[in-house]
Amino acid sequence: MDEVVESTSWFRFESVAYAIVFSFVIILWCHYKWNRKDINRFAAKLQGPPSYPIIGSGLEFLGTPQQVLENLIKLGDDFGPEPFKLWMGTSFGVVIIKPEDSQIVLNSAKALQKSSFYKFFKNLIGEGLLSAPVDKWRVHRRLISPVFNANLLNQFLPVFHQKNEVLIKNLSKEVDKIRPFNLISYIAPTTLDTICENMMGYNLDTQLNDKSEFFATILKASELDAMRIYKPWLYPDIIFTFYRKLKGLQNIYKTLDKLPNKVIKEKKEAYAQRKITNKTNSFDNSTDKGEKKPSKGFLDTLLELNEIGVNLTDIELRDEVVTMMSAGSDSSAITMCFCLLLLAIHPDIQDKVYDEIYDIMGDGDEKITIEDTNKLVYLEQVLKETLRLFPIAPMFLRKLQDEVKIVSCTEVLPKGTTCILAPLYTHHISELYPNPWSFNPENFNPENVKKRHKYSFIPFSSGPRNCLGSKYAMLSMKILISTFLQNFSVHTDTKLSDIKLKVDLLLRSVNGYPVTIRRRDRRPTYKRNQKVS
């Protein structure tokens, strides 16, 4: 009898427990739906791909990075250029394509926060300027901005020249070879060496020592982290950790951190030693009156700021350094490889670029100056057209901290919406750029630029959170491309339609950048053409 009573009591307790748990789940669900009522109501009015519980529109992004990119382009074709919805797991996103809408969002104080999806890149770039929360970004932006002033850009020139000389020497072994080589294997070490010495004051010498581990690791880590954005089943850290072990990539982030940590450690030691030396050899500053001291580099500035109480942690230093080394060098390298490949595909445009370089630099070995780069107007058009056709950052994600009204929607975008600003789509609106998937530098002649909305071209983002290094990037690309073309002509059997794209943190070519090169006959092509005719 006692056993029956005990069993009945346990049954009642179990039933009550189940009822409480069930009720709690229902309450949570109702609370969740209530908090998202504005988003759900707004989402119901927008077009977009099908979505399902938990995974959202995740089925649209099955396959390889190339297939994912192809699906993204198709979504733009199917639903753009009007805003359309894209559920990323349970997060609601609105894809913003029209320039007038992008301008509003990118300049709104309510849209400064990067999307929570950037946390997936935390293992790669931490919380540097690219991905930092607004409060941290404001502080770090203010600290780092002075590094990119015009005076410092001028001081970078000797390093640009030195590293490009090594590049030309290394490329010489490829001259007149029949078999194509991949441009990235030469350009990437050059941009890494350049940014390390200019920004970190650190002579890495990757070009001479063939240390390619950093770039190989960056590529793998970028693909791995980007995959989480469009594969909701990898959102939980425990599943992602298991997936990395399954793929043999469990130590990838430790490998990635080796170089930045080494740079920081050695620079800290050098900085400390320099302080001791300066104290020992201190003298009357009156002898330096009127002399302009050289501007400090990026890492030296951060270390000096720490001395006066800013107190950046080792993790924060690492985050800014790895952001500079990866996003800064990798983005420029990829863009220049695309540019040179496009010039190889279009020899007539390559000739026109070379003629401009010849007119400015002649056939001598003079070093290019800042003034010279300002005169390379057509080369700048070519670089901008490259960035239009293949925007290095195909999408930016911002999370709205409050409602925002854009031109193309009758209702406001609800608080909590992830705005997906998409240069990948904006740069290919046919009304703005006729034949948008063709390569035409005339898209950026002054007359055509005047016809378009300012935000029709946003390769470096725009507004308060734009890319701080955009001027550095354009300067470095002009100098390298012009130096390259002064010495070599570039050729390829690849057609524009052969270029297949994939996306991770950046937009890349699936099959690399295959070209051959020949030693440049340093005469203007138009004179050679006249002679032939």
Side-chain angles (χ1 to χ4, degrees):
M1 186 66 179
D2 289 342
E3 290 180 359
V4 173
V5 172
E6 185 177 340
S7 177
T8 302
S9 298
W10 174 252
F11 176 76
R12 288 175 179 171
F13 173 78
E14 196 175 37
S15 299
V16 170
Y18 280 132
I20 291 172
V21 170
F22 183 74
S23 300
F24 184 68
V25 170
I26 292 296
I27 291 169
L28 284 179
W29 175 252
C30 291
H31 182 263
Y32 172 78
K33 296 294 285 185
W34 175 259
N35 283 342
R36 294 169 64 88
K37 65 182 186 301
D38 292 337
I39 283 178
N40 291 332
R41 184 174 64 246
F42 181 76
K45 298 177 181 179
L46 280 187
Q47 59 176 350
S51 63
Y52 305 93
I54 308 299
I55 65 169
S57 302
L59 295 182
E60 300 289 327
F61 306 110
L62 296 174
T64 65
Q66 177 185 342
Q67 290 168 329
V68 168
L69 196 281
E70 289 170 352
N71 289 341
L72 277 172
I73 293 173
K74 186 175 185 301
L75 287 178
D77 293 339
D78 290 345
F79 300 108
E82 298 300 322
F84 64 90
K85 63 184 174 185
L86 188 64
W87 285 94
M88 298 171 290
T90 57
S91 294
F92 173 64
V94 175
V95 181
I96 307 291
I97 301 177
K98 290 186 174 180
E100 54 269 31
D101 295 331
S102 298
Q103 181 178 26
I104 292 170
V105 175
L106 288 171
N107 286 282
S108 173
K110 303 170 186 176
L112 291 175
Q113 185 68 51
K114 293 295 182 82
S115 163
S116 58
F117 287 102
Y118 281 82
K119 70 184 179 183
F120 296 146
F121 292 102
K122 192 170 183 179
N123 290 320
L124 175 60
I125 55 174
E127 290 186 347
L129 281 181
L130 180 65
S131 56
V134 174
D135 291 343
K136 180 184 283 190
W137 164 77
R138 288 186 197 279
V139 175
H140 288 208
R141 174 95 177 195
R142 188 174 66 252
L143 296 176
I144 294 171
S145 290
V147 174
F148 291 93
N149 65 60
N151 291 333
L152 191 57
L153 289 179
N154 223 334
Q155 292 184 31
F156 290 156
L157 281 177
V159 174
F160 285 133
H161 294 150
Q162 178 192 351
K163 303 305 179 185
N164 287 340
E165 282 178 7
V166 178
L167 170 65
I168 298 307
K169 182 178 178 181
N170 288 342
L171 282 168
S172 296
K173 62 188 177 187
E174 300 289 351
V175 171
D176 293 333
K177 287 187 177 179
I178 297 174
R179 186 170 182 174
F181 66 94
N182 190 355
L183 275 167
I184 198 74
S185 60
Y186 289 92
I187 304 293
T190 305
T191 58
L192 180 60
D193 279 3
T194 304
I195 206 164
C196 274
E197 187 144 350
N198 274 333
M199 293 297 171
M200 261 68 80
Y202 188 88
N203 187 13
L204 187 61
D205 269 346
T206 308
Q207 291 172 281
L208 298 175
N209 300 321
D210 195 27
K211 299 172 184 173
S212 58
E213 182 183 51
F214 182 75
F215 267 106
T217 307
I218 280 283
L219 182 58
K220 290 179 184 176
S222 297
E223 287 185 356
L224 194 62
D225 287 346
M227 192 186 304
R228 296 183 77 182
I229 293 179
Y230 50 81
K231 297 190 185 300
W233 46 91
L234 294 178
Y235 286 1
D237 288 340
I238 189 170
I239 295 177
F240 182 60
T241 301
F242 177 75
Y243 178 83
R244 278 164 44 209
K245 287 182 178 179
L246 195 66
K247 293 291 184 178
L249 298 171
Q250 61 267 35
N251 295 321
I252 190 168
Y253 299 114
K254 291 181 181 178
T255 304
L256 179 67
D257 285 346
K258 283 181 184 177
L259 180 57
N261 288 340
K262 179 185 177 186
V263 171
I264 293 169
K265 180 176 181 290
E266 293 187 17
K267 285 297 292 181
K268 274 186 170 183
E269 291 171 354
Y271 184 81
Q273 185 61 44
R274 191 162 63 248
K275 279 181 61 183
I276 295 171
T277 304
N278 288 342
K279 284 182 181 179
T280 305
N281 300 327
S282 60
F283 58 91
D284 186 1
N285 288 331
S286 62
T287 58
D288 290 335
K289 286 181 180 178
E291 291 185 10
K292 189 176 181 180
K293 294 182 179 179
S295 302
K296 296 180 179 65
F298 165 77
L299 189 50
D300 281 332
T301 298
L302 296 185
L303 293 175
E304 188 171 284
L305 287 169
N306 263 3
E307 288 293 315
I308 60 174
V310 172
N311 294 326
L312 294 171
T313 67
D314 286 346
I315 292 175
E316 287 175 325
L317 283 173
R318 176 265 176 202
D319 290 350
E320 296 299 352
V321 167
V322 80
T323 297
M324 188 70 69
M325 291 175 69
S326 57
S329 64
D330 202 13
S331 58
S332 295
I334 294 168
T335 300
M336 287 188 281
C337 288
F338 271 127
C339 181
L340 288 167
L341 180 59
L342 288 167
L343 291 177
I345 294 170
H346 301 86
D348 55 329
I349 296 176
Q350 181 182 168
D351 286 346
K352 190 172 178 181
V353 173
Y354 175 71
D355 286 345
E356 180 183 63
I357 296 167
Y358 184 92
D359 287 342
I360 294 166
M361 301 296 296
D363 59 358
D365 293 318
E366 295 85 359
K367 304 296 185 187
I368 191 169
T369 65
I370 295 288
E371 292 72 24
D372 293 331
T373 64
N374 293 331
K375 297 174 187 175
L376 293 171
V377 176
Y378 190 68
L379 175 56
E380 184 167 322
Q381 288 180 211
V382 167
L383 284 166
K384 286 182 175 180
E385 176 67 355
T386 302
L387 286 164
R388 180 200 68 80
L389 194 58
F390 304 123
I392 197 67
M395 294 185 175
F396 321 122
L397 278 62
R398 302 285 182 84
K399 187 171 184 178
L400 297 186
Q401 303 304 295
D402 207 339
E403 296 177 344
V404 170
K405 179 73 174 68
I406 60 174
V407 176
S408 299
C409 287
T410 55
E411 297 187 31
V412 296
L413 302 179
K415 176 182 178 180
T417 298
T418 295
C419 288
I420 306 168
L421 299 127
L424 182 67
Y425 298 144
T426 304
H427 291 183
H428 294 90
I429 298 175
S430 57
E431 289 78 14
L432 299 173
Y433 302 100
N435 302 313
W437 287 99
S438 64
F439 180 64
N440 179 18
E442 292 306 316
N443 281 320
F444 290 93
N445 68 37
E447 293 75 20
N448 285 328
V449 170
K450 284 179 184 177
K451 297 175 187 176
R452 294 191 299 267
H453 192 285
K454 181 182 177 182
Y455 281 67
S456 299
F457 181 64
I458 47 173
F460 300 108
S461 186
S462 196
R465 289 204 78 163
N466 68 335
C467 175
L468 193 58
S470 58
K471 289 183 178 179
Y472 174 92
M474 286 301 292
L475 177 64
S476 68
M477 291 191 291
K478 278 187 175 183
I479 293 173
L480 189 147
I481 296 292
S482 60
T483 304
F484 187 107
L485 293 177
Q486 272 188 302
N487 288 274
F488 309 112
S489 58
V490 58
H491 310 269
T492 188
D493 291 329
T494 300
K495 297 180 177 62
L496 186 56
S497 58
D498 295 333
I499 299 177
K500 305 302 178 186
L501 303 173
K502 63 180 180 179
V503 64
D504 43 60
L505 183 59
L506 303 173
L507 190 71
R508 306 176 191 269
S509 168
V510 173
N511 300 313
Y513 313 87
V515 299
T516 58
I517 57 174
R518 298 171 198 158
R519 188 72 65 183
R520 175 70 71 179
D521 176 10
R522 292 193 177 189
R523 288 178 294 152
T525 56
Y526 65 84
K527 288 184 180 178
R528 295 205 305 273
N529 291 340
Q530 287 174 1
K531 186 175 181 180
V532 170
S533 61

